[in-house]
Amino acid sequence: MNKVLALKYRPKNFKDLVGQDTISRTISMALDSNRIAHAYLLSGLRGSGKTSTARILAKCILCENGPTSNPCEKCDSCLSANAGKHMDIVEMDAASSRGIDDIKELIEHIRYKPTSGKYKIFIIDEIHMLTVQAFNALLKTLEEPPSFVRFILATTDPLKLPATILSRTQHYRFRKISVADTTKHLSHILNLENIKYESDAVETIARCGHGSLRDSLTILDQAIVFSKNDITTTAVADMLDLVDTELLDELFDIVLSDKAIDEIADKFTKYELSSVLDEVAVYLKDCIKQADPRFDMVVYDRFFSIIGSSKYLLSINSDEEFVLLLTILKLKTATKRYAIDNIIDKLEADQPQTSKQTVQRSPKQTAKPQKTPQELYKTLVDVVFDRSFEVGQCFESSFEFVSFSDKNLLLKSTADEECKNLLWKNFDLIKQQAVQIYGNGVKISFEKQVQTQPQEIEPQTQETQETQETQETQEPQTQETQPEQIAPTQQPQPDTDNSLENSDIVKEAKRYLQPTKIEKIPKDI
């Protein structure tokens, strides 16, 4: 029975692993120095070699010459491990056995010693699928297993694992396999299978694998059948519904020229637009690597931005044909660049000579006269009113414009205490508006107005000075005594006592309570 390529050419030792040199070297050195951890965690993309590495590691530990990085492949342990029948290698799929009962059964198996080897190895694949209760049940056993037990865990999503699991294992992260390593491995397999192929076709298959070697081998199996043992670029493109490179060359020839886009758009309608955009991106990356003289950095940046926006339109279920036409039009527009100097020269060449003269004279004719400082002050008052009516009202009634010179705005202040407090709280607002109107560096100073009536100045004689002094000394006394002379007015209160005495009730009570005179009783009685 023929096996698929992914199983037929599955690696059997660390040297056969593709694209994971760092992990292979680290584990090999640990095996050779007999520093084996009690638990390993292998994480990475699907098809990157996690399960294969777990099986190779188990075989290296159980080999009769082990632990070693180069198993003999001849002993019973190696042969049974390659056949998948070793009694001491227990594989468990956590995706199907994910409950706490399954973990309890696993823990029950851990109590028994290995049958033939030195260790008993448990490989748990897709461990992130376990339930929370199952993780908790496994914690203690995973932290301190018996000396003859080793755990190898594998997952594609390590972020779903609890931190308690991660801290109890040695974590190895498998990276995506590069296109070059995948292409080399596929070419080696095709040579072993005696199948003809084109290098570009194999590279296309490797690129479609997106870093997964198993996916690439699956596509290669399909390509061998489709192309009848002769893998060509055209056959692979037809099988995967990919855009041919010649068609992409034609597309960018039209993008760089003034040709119509209707014909090329019709040729792309038979393809899925998402794959077309991916192929365009790959085509542009190849142009960057080859330093294509048709494009420069600015054009590349515009192209990739257009591809990203087109993918977004597809994600919101836009019409594919409309997105295709829009993308091609954007690509054509992105190649047209004009320098600012060229645009100015073109505009000047298109305008007649008379218009240039009018443009030159127009600033002189339409120049507006500058406002005087007092007019600017009125503008400041209006702006403060717009910001706050209450502040503007206090500002207008409390200040008068005096002068403005050397960036110093002098105002006359007649503000009362209430307005002073309000204006002081909002002084930053007033200062900010003054800077915008009068310019940076403006200062606001105030001239206080003395609220006394002007008196005529007459030459004072000695008598007038004496009378003035006496008046000044008498004034405070009169002010102090004045409140004592003027008694506060009180409203007359009703005479409650008289009203009560004159009431009928009181009179009646007096009549009943009036003491009676007791006459003396005659002695004769």
Side-chain angles (χ1 to χ4, degrees), residues 34 37 68 138 143 158 185 203 220 264 273-274 277 290 317 337 373 395 397 403 409 418 431 453:
N34 198 16
T68 177
L138 185 62
E143 182 178 8
H185 186 67
E203 185 177 355
L220 183 61
I264 192 67
L273 186 54
S274 59
L277 295 175
Q290 299 171 5
N317 297 325
R337 293 189 305 154
F395 184 76
S397 61
S403 63
L409 178 60
E418 185 178 357
K431 181 66 179 294
Q453 295 181 357

Side-chain angles (χ1 to χ4, degrees), residues 104 106-113 120 122 146 148-149:
K104 286 182 178 179
L106 180 68
I107 295 173
E108 187 67 24
H109 283 293
I110 291 173
R111 298 179 181 178
Y112 303 103
K113 290 187 177 181
K120 200 167 188 177
F122 293 87
F148 54 85
V149 172

